Amino acid sequence: MSDHKPIVVVMGVTGAGKTTVGRALAARLGIPFFDADDFHPPANLKKMRAGDPLTDADRQPWLLALRSAIDDWLLAQEGGVLACSALKQQYRETLEGPRGDVTFFYLNGPPSVLRSRLEAREGHFMPSSLLQSQLETLEPPSNALFLDIQRSPEALVDLALGYLGELGFRVD
């Protein structure tokens, strides 16, 4: 059983439920929750609000800021759950760092479910029009536990906790 707390990235496209599942998972683990959107520079937020997809160049400083935060969480040994789209393998490699010290949970599901969630969501900066560009950018991960968004958030958290337990983390 590992004494250190996990660093988890709950990933997927907009509308997948990253924040909902991530907050619930962090609460169950007793570790902090972070939303990657809070690390975006103002120019990225402005671009997304306007309905313009981000480029890799736009994302690079954001990803490096996230990796720096992950390094801080590891140093503090308090763990953390990060809700982050992490759409491409190269983004996940930046987040994971050279030590492979991040566990990924990929929330995936049918585009129709994602669209209906986005249409029902109020007050979020990310317009539903960007869903298609995220789906086109998405490279499904090879090193993540896939979680079906058609299941309840509670069921997804239970699956995530079971997986972390299998990896040797204390989840009680």
Side-chain angles (χ1 to χ4, degrees), residues 5-10 34 36 39 62-84 86 91-104:
K5 297 183 180 185
I7 301 293
V8 172
V9 173
V10 179
F34 303 92
F39 292 76
W62 171 67
L63 290 164
L64 292 174
L66 290 170
R67 181 60 218 185
S68 178
I70 289 169
D71 287 338
D72 291 344
W73 306 334
L74 287 165
L75 189 61
Q77 297 182 345
E78 56 188 34
V81 175
L82 176 67
C84 180
Y91 306 164
R92 293 186 293 276
E93 289 170 1
T94 299
L95 295 174
E96 191 171 36
R99 296 178 303 276
D101 44 24
V102 174
T103 302
F104 290 91

Side-chain angles (χ1 to χ4, degrees), residues 20-33 81 157 161 171-172:
T20 299
V21 172
R23 282 186 195 280
L25 180 60
R28 293 271 302 272
L29 289 167
I31 62 177
F33 169 80
V81 175
V157 168
L161 289 171
V171 295
D172 47 68

Side-chain angles (χ1 to χ4, degrees), residues 87-161:
L87 297 174
K88 289 185 177 182
Q89 181 62 32
Q90 71 185 46
Y91 306 164
R92 293 186 293 276
E93 289 170 1
T94 299
L95 295 174
E96 191 171 36
R99 296 178 303 276
D101 44 24
V102 174
T103 302
F104 290 91
F105 295 113
Y106 170 43
L107 302 180
N108 70 331
S112 60
V113 172
L114 295 163
R115 266 189 214 88
S116 68
R117 287 181 175 189
L118 290 172
E119 289 165 4
R121 186 161 71 178
E122 294 180 16
H124 195 275
F125 71 88
M126 178 76 99
S128 60
S129 61
L130 289 181
L131 174 61
Q132 189 57 42
S133 73
Q134 286 205 341
L135 290 170
E136 290 168 2
T137 301
L138 177 67
E139 297 171 0
S142 59
N143 63 336
L145 179 66
F146 282 50
L147 298 171
D148 184 347
I149 65 169
Q150 296 179 96
R151 299 184 78 163
S152 72
E154 296 79 18
L156 297 178
V157 168
D158 288 343
L159 289 167
L161 289 171

Side-chain angles (χ1 to χ4, degrees), residues 45-54 125-127 129-130 133:
L45 294 174
K46 181 178 178 184
K47 194 170 184 179
M48 288 184 286
R49 279 189 185 103
D52 296 327
L54 297 179
F125 71 88
M126 178 76 99
S129 61
L130 289 181
S133 73

